[in-house]
Amino acid sequence: MSLQEQPVGVDSPASPPSTNKMRKVALASFMGTVIEFYDFIIYGTAAALVFSDVFFPALGNQAGTVVSFATLGVAFVARPFGAIFFGHFGDRLGRKRTLIATMLTMGVATVLIGVLPTAETIGVLAPVFLILLRVAQGLAAGGEWAGAALFTTENAPKDKRGFWAMFTNLGGAAANMLAATTFLLTSVFMTDETFVSYGWRIPFLLSALLVVFGLYVRLKLDDTPVFTKQIKGEGASSLPFADAFRNQGRQILLGAGTLLMAFALNYMGASYLTNYGTATLDLDRSQVLGAGVFGGVMLGIGIISGGTRSDRVGRRRILLVTNIVAIPWALVLFPLLDTKSLAAFWIGLAVSFLVAGHAFGVAGSFLSELFHTRYRYTAAGLSYSLAGIFGGALPPLIAASVISTWGGLAFGVLLAGIGLVSIACTLRLRETRDFELDDIPDAPRAA
């Protein structure tokens, strides 16, 4: 065998963690991504439903909607910078302290959006402040996901890493349901005028409760044994970002590519299709939001299925099958939605989330296992964030113009193309299930 084909090293933590400890670790990671995804999704939902009226009224409905989705994409652009910034401290100072900082940053930015004056009140400053707070959300999200994924993966026993790591993204599914439910309740119990006036703010303000609970859980845990061992052995990297790209730049890009299709389906469902269902298909807003709640359930089922199965069949196989299945689904999605049937809309969201969920269920363990401990926080976060930009931000941003010009099928072809890229990237990477986290074979050590 060549060095690249050999199994990973033999060193591993002396004794497996207790189930009780792993439950606490999983809860801490789960809560972090609940907050991260909840804050991201409520922004996307608000952008689809009201931000064109509240912050960009001078642009008109169509242009205002496009600009609202552009501000959604701003956070995705900020995510890689957040991954580099928070990853630097996560790889040098530890996962726990960095995760506390990311949670606080995300929570404060989200609450401030909830109290932000509208364009009618402060004019052009309203969208400027909105964009600045969205950037803060993006920076925090870029640092949050990798830290939460590493916190579970680096604590988990090797044969259960897929199971425990999936709790990180399971928090995203819970956030989908929570965000859609919150908007659904405010929509049901308020008139459209009241909802546009102040009802949309309630989901943002409720984020404060999640942050308080999340901090309480995280403050009670120690850092991961894998990171502690690294610090006591080789010590921390002086510049994790440089080490990551020098040693595993190829894996960072390929790892991002494997998740492009999952991000595309997830964020199309969580943001753009909410607007498409109400504005283009003329479906009732409450019914559209109800479909979002159900979609969150299906996302969770997919995450659990993907994560647990990956411990038996491998991460790479789950990713490969998921991306293959996603291609024909992308081609039939918009023709199905354009029947303007409410049942078709629910099916469209449910299947999209279910397919994406299988890939997200593997993401935490797969990206954690792919990189060396010295720069794992930075590399995993950067890989995930790049997938978020090109898979999560761009498709919803260009969907309206592509569909209005060439139709839904043309956009389905574009989504299928993204799926082909994900398949190609998955085929270029090795299976990671049997890797020991303290010795990754494809990762040369820094001098």
Side-chain angles (χ1 to χ4, degrees), residues 87-290:
H88 178 86
F89 295 104
D91 283 321
R92 288 185 55 78
L93 303 179
R95 315 327 191 187
K96 174 182 174 178
R97 283 187 282 181
T98 307
L99 282 170
I100 290 171
T102 60
M103 182 175 287
L104 281 172
T105 303
M106 176 66 84
V108 170
T110 302
V111 171
L112 288 178
I113 290 175
V115 298
L116 187 63
T118 66
E120 184 180 1
T121 305
I122 61 172
V124 71
L125 288 178
V128 170
F129 287 143
L130 178 69
I131 292 170
L132 290 175
L133 291 172
R134 187 60 177 161
V135 168
Q137 282 188 322
L139 292 172
E144 169 63 36
W145 181 87
L150 267 58
F151 210 70
T152 48
T153 308
E154 291 184 345
N155 272 294
K158 188 171 95 171
D159 62 343
K160 293 291 184 182
R161 283 199 300 246
F163 170 77
W164 289 112
M166 65 93 179
F167 280 95
T168 303
N169 274 21
L170 190 60
N176 264 16
M177 291 183 283
L178 184 61
T181 300
T182 306
F183 272 104
L184 176 60
L185 291 175
T186 55
S187 176
V188 167
F189 292 105
M190 293 180 179
T191 64
D192 287 348
E193 292 76 16
T194 304
F195 181 79
V196 172
S197 176
Y198 68 85
W200 65 269
R201 299 180 182 275
I202 295 174
F204 289 88
L205 299 177
L206 289 176
S207 178
L209 300 177
L210 296 175
V211 172
V212 170
F213 181 69
L215 286 174
Y216 171 78
V217 173
R218 284 188 172 174
L219 286 169
K220 299 172 94 47
L221 295 172
D222 296 323
D223 225 318
T224 71
V226 173
F227 175 78
T228 302
K229 180 180 178 180
Q230 172 68 36
I231 293 299
K232 290 180 178 178
E234 295 181 8
S237 168
S238 59
L239 194 58
F241 173 71
D243 275 354
F245 262 102
R246 180 169 58 249
N247 295 324
Q248 288 190 276
R250 170 179 170 273
Q251 285 86 349
I252 289 173
L253 298 177
L254 291 176
T258 64
L259 296 172
L260 288 176
M261 192 59 173
F263 266 100
L265 289 177
N266 184 62
Y267 278 92
M268 285 297 297
S271 57
Y272 178 75
L273 291 185
T274 301
N275 178 267
Y276 192 76
T278 55
T280 302
L281 304 180
D282 293 321
L283 299 175
D284 179 74
R285 187 171 67 196
S286 296
Q287 292 286 357
V288 168
L289 291 171

Side-chain angles (χ1 to χ4, degrees), residues 258 316 320 422-430:
T258 64
R316 185 173 177 268
L320 192 59
S422 289
I423 290 172
C425 291
T426 305
L427 290 172
R428 297 285 294 172
L429 289 170
R430 296 182 52 222

Side-chain angles (χ1 to χ4, degrees), residues 52-93:
S52 60
D53 296 325
V54 174
F55 292 108
F56 307 101
L59 298 178
N61 186 55
Q62 183 172 355
T65 300
V66 171
V67 174
S68 295
F69 280 118
T71 66
L72 179 70
V74 164
F76 284 100
V77 175
R79 283 181 77 149
F81 297 98
I84 295 169
F85 177 78
F86 287 110
H88 178 86
F89 295 104
D91 283 321
R92 288 185 55 78
L93 303 179

